[in-house]
Amino acid sequence: MKDTFNNVVIYNGYPLSVVVAVTFHSVILALLLYLQSSKSPEALELVQPTVVKALLIQENPQVANERKRLERQQQQQRTREREVAQQAAEAERQRQEQADSRAEEQRKARELASLRQRQEQERLDADQLVREREEQNELEQERRRQLELAEAQRQQESRDRERQRQEEAANAAAAELASSEFEMVQSGMAIIQQAVQSVWSRPPSARNGMRAILQIRMLPTGELIDAVITESSGDPAFDRSAENAVYSAAPFRELQALPSNVFNENFRSLSLIFQPEDLLN
Amino acid sequence: MGYLKQVPKWRTIVIAGITPTQLILDASLPVQLVLLTLLGLSIVSWVMIFQRALVLSAASKGVLSFEHRFWSGMDLSQLYKEGSQMQKEDIPVVGMESIFRAGFKEFMRLRQQPTVDKEAVMEGAQRAMRVAYSREEEKLEKHLPFLATVASVSVYIGLFGTVIGIMNSFIGLASQAQVTMQVIAPDIAEALIATAMGLFVAIPAVVVYNRYTASVDNITGSYITFTDEFSSILHRQIHSE
């Protein structure tokens, strides 16, 4: 009976073997999956690196102050203009009233005079004429004086306005100059930063929060004279990597395009802060 | 004096690690094909391993049980008749017993013919046993070359997958300005899975191939010994007449 079983197995061993082999592989796979899931119960997720764009929002304080001053001036100017306009309107109204009342008086006087004239034509003829002329003269003078006053005021106003316009133009020109210089400095900084960053290979010992400051000196041609570590991070490898990065990023030829005063003020001597913030450890 | 601050261009956040399953699912097509091939090879080779295990253990058990019966002092013609009975019941006769049956059948047939002399009878019986032995050996060694091939080739297949994977990862890296460990690591891990899989297939195949070859040698050795012993018995029988 045992032999019989053996013989059957020899010739029909394949189905059994297939079943056993497939089961074996399934068990191994299931085991691997189980170990994985038990090892990491928290949801596993790989977040794609997100690009953080560093935007410059800081403002040059000089430019900001200039702008504030300008705004204040404009405000004052506006209030002054409004006051002047009010005064002018007031004066105009008064003059009108005076003129009206005078005209009324004149008319009454004339009526009276004509009445009187009609009553006593012959007697008061000459007197009436003289008085009338005098009154008219007075009126004329008054009107002329007022006109002169208004004219003077207008001239004063236009002079003021002209002066202010000139001031404003000068201020704007100065601000523009300052801002373009500021932009030039910023773009130069960005060039240096990008060049240094692209060649800076950090050592494995680099950690977030490490900080090394290098003082570099440059020629107006963008060539590097020297780079000195002014503040060490405490890790010689890190310091060396920063130094190497600066040396291999130099020369910064783009800086040649800067005006010499801008270069001398901002780039002749420059401090670079090396501070990794994107490391995972 | 201006100050320049290194603003990080990339902020990489890896919330958690990666798992082998995910690596395999995210792998490139060549690597996945290599892994599939290796999985197929693994399954087939394990089918062979189990099937051979059954065959070889049955064969060595058969050797023991037949030797026990043969040396129990039973009459040889009685033993032959038992085998014929088994064949009538559709139970195949294999191993040492089939060698015995081939030799004994030839011996009896030749001896009944008066014209054939004693040496020719012996020669005929030995030739029949040699043929039966070759057939049995062939049955035992079946599939072992396949295991040997799997053992040697699957490592190379795995290595091929790894090289392709690493190549792809380096092609991908060429376009990146800043290369960190976090960028390289998943690709390399993905590539290495192929080698791991190749070794997983190759190691059992090598071990099993060596073991089974030794086992086949053992069994065929006992066949040869039996053949010699049986021919000496037949020799004695034919010359004692």
Side-chain angles (χ1 to χ4, degrees):
Chain A
M1 204 56 219
K2 204 175 159 196
D3 283 340
T4 313
F5 172 75
N6 281 345
N7 291 341
V8 168
V9 159
I10 285 170
Y11 285 97
N12 297 319
Y14 286 104
L16 182 64
S17 303
V18 170
V19 169
V20 173
V22 170
T23 316
F24 173 72
H25 281 85
S26 315
V27 166
I28 287 181
L29 270 178
L31 207 70
L32 278 178
L33 286 176
Y34 172 73
L35 286 178
Q36 249 174 49
S37 59
S38 67
K39 195 169 61 190
S40 48
E42 75 272 36
L44 297 173
E45 197 180 350
L46 180 70
V47 171
Q48 286 297 318
T50 49
V51 177
V52 179
K53 232 179 184 174
L55 286 174
L56 190 91
I57 50 166
Q58 196 194 357
E59 212 177 10
N60 192 336
Q62 217 178 351
V63 175
N65 284 344
E66 194 66 24
R67 211 191 51 228
K68 263 181 222 157
R69 199 169 60 80
L70 223 70
E71 267 172 19
R72 230 180 0 253
Q73 264 183 1
Q74 276 171 349
Q75 186 90 22
Q76 281 172 353
Q77 168 75 16
R78 265 200 299 280
T79 52
R80 212 181 304 147
E81 269 174 17
R82 208 160 35 237
E83 275 168 19
V84 165
Q86 271 175 352
Q87 278 173 359
E90 188 71 20
E92 181 70 19
R93 198 161 49 78
Q94 278 177 354
R95 203 182 58 203
Q96 197 69 37
E97 274 172 11
Q98 277 177 348
D100 280 358
S101 62
R102 287 233 175 71
E104 188 70 17
E105 264 175 39
Q106 200 182 353
R107 196 171 52 78
K108 277 181 187 162
R110 220 182 284 135
E111 274 174 12
L112 207 75
S114 64
L115 201 73
R116 248 184 256 150
Q117 206 175 16
R118 247 179 281 133
Q119 284 173 350
E120 6 176 359
Q121 265 177 349
E122 293 91 34
R123 192 171 53 86
L124 290 171
D125 204 6
D127 279 356
Q128 175 73 22
L129 270 169
V130 168
R131 227 172 15 239
E132 230 174 88
R133 212 168 289 148
E134 273 173 3
E135 270 179 14
Q136 269 182 346
N137 274 351
E138 258 176 48
L139 215 117
E140 194 76 18
Q141 274 175 356
E142 175 72 15
R143 201 174 288 156
R144 213 172 291 147
R145 209 170 54 239
Q146 277 185 352
L147 271 173
E148 272 171 16
L149 203 77
E151 182 64 25
Q153 240 175 10
R154 240 197 319 277
Q155 274 177 359
Q156 175 71 23
E157 260 173 44
S158 75
R159 261 205 304 281
D160 275 3
R161 224 173 287 145
E162 184 63 27
R163 207 188 56 229
Q164 268 173 359
R165 233 198 325 275
Q166 278 171 359
E167 260 179 35
E168 273 171 32
N171 284 343
E176 201 178 329
L177 200 70
S179 83
S180 74
E181 189 183 323
F182 179 66
E183 272 170 17
M184 273 193 275
V185 171
Q186 282 300 320
S187 74
M189 293 285 181
I191 286 163
I192 295 175
Q193 177 179 345
Q194 213 165 9
V196 172
Q197 212 172 12
S198 67
V199 296
W200 185 27
S201 70
R202 288 160 290 194
S205 56
R207 295 287 176 275
N208 281 342
M210 272 192 176
R211 188 178 143 98
I213 301 182
L214 260 75
Q215 171 108 39
I216 66 171
R217 291 194 300 145
M218 281 185 285
L219 291 174
T221 55
E223 275 167 273
L224 187 70
I225 302 173
D226 60 0
V228 181
I229 297 166
T230 51
E231 188 191 307
S232 168
S233 63
D235 180 16
F238 186 86
D239 294 351
R240 213 161 34 244
S241 79
E243 218 175 356
N244 286 341
V246 173
Y247 276 113
S248 52
F252 308 101
R253 293 285 176 209
E254 292 87 347
L255 299 183
Q256 281 177 357
L258 293 174
S260 61
N261 64 329
V262 175
F263 181 87
N264 286 339
E265 276 171 29
N266 298 289
F267 291 103
R268 190 164 278 285
S269 176
L270 194 67
S271 277
L272 302 185
I273 304 176
F274 287 80
Q275 189 170 14
E277 289 175 346
D278 53 343
L279 296 175
L280 283 170
N281 39 33
Chain B
M1 172 154 312
Y3 275 89
L4 184 65
K5 194 168 189 191
Q6 290 286 341
V7 180
K9 231 193 280 179
W10 283 76
R11 196 170 290 276
T12 322
I13 310 157
V14 178
I15 284 179
I18 36 177
T19 63
T21 329
Q22 211 160 15
L23 279 182
I24 291 168
L25 292 178
D26 293 343
S28 56
L29 189 67
V31 177
Q32 280 183 339
L33 284 180
V34 164
L35 288 176
L36 269 182
T37 312
L38 286 173
L39 183 67
L41 278 182
S42 178
I43 289 175
V44 175
S45 74
W46 276 95
V47 167
M48 301 308 168
I49 287 168
F50 287 120
Q51 200 263 342
R52 281 298 97 184
L54 293 172
V55 167
L56 291 177
S57 75
S60 54
K61 268 181 206 153
V63 166
L64 286 178
S65 74
F66 183 74
E67 277 187 331
H68 181 72
R69 275 160 65 202
F70 187 78
W71 299 113
S72 64
M74 193 194 278
D75 184 29
L76 290 184
S77 49
Q78 178 64 30
L79 200 60
Y80 185 78
K81 269 178 207 152
E82 275 180 18
S84 305
Q85 188 63 33
M86 273 168 72
Q87 269 184 332
K88 267 180 206 155
E89 289 168 17
D90 262 357
I91 296 166
V93 175
V94 291
M96 212 177 252
E97 193 170 1
S98 83
I99 296 171
F100 161 74
R101 285 179 61 78
F104 192 72
K105 194 177 169 187
E106 192 67 20
F107 178 77
M108 295 305 278
R109 194 182 289 161
L110 288 173
R111 210 171 56 163
Q112 278 159 14
Q113 291 179 10
T115 51
V116 182
D117 66 355
K118 290 173 182 175
E119 288 308 312
V121 170
M122 274 315 293
E123 252 179 45
Q126 274 170 348
R127 202 182 311 119
M129 282 196 286
R130 220 166 28 243
V131 171
Y133 165 77
S134 301
R135 285 210 188 100
E136 291 306 314
E137 192 185 29
E138 205 175 289
K139 275 183 207 161
L140 291 177
E141 283 181 342
K142 205 175 164 193
H143 299 320
L144 286 188
F146 175 81
L147 279 180
T149 309
V150 167
S152 55
V153 160
S154 60
V155 180
Y156 295 124
I157 295 177
L159 204 59
F160 172 72
T162 297
V163 170
I164 294 280
I166 289 186
M167 207 174 78
N168 280 343
S169 83
F170 273 108
I171 288 170
L173 286 184
S175 60
Q176 293 192 359
Q178 199 176 14
V179 178
T180 58
M181 242 1 242
Q182 283 75 31
V183 179
I184 306 176
D187 290 339
I188 304 285
E190 169 205 308
L192 287 178
I193 277 185
T195 302
M197 189 77 186
L199 291 176
F200 173 78
V201 180
I203 290 170
V206 171
V207 171
V208 165
Y209 175 73
N210 287 335
R211 208 178 120 66
Y212 286 3
T213 317
S215 171
V216 167
D217 280 350
N218 202 8
I219 294 167
T220 51
S222 61
Y223 286 175
I224 289 169
T225 317
F226 170 75
T227 310
D228 288 345
E229 283 168 348
F230 185 46
S231 26
S232 74
I233 289 169
L234 291 179
H235 193 264
R236 205 160 51 230
Q237 201 169 339
I238 202 166
H239 285 288
S240 64
E241 284 169 1

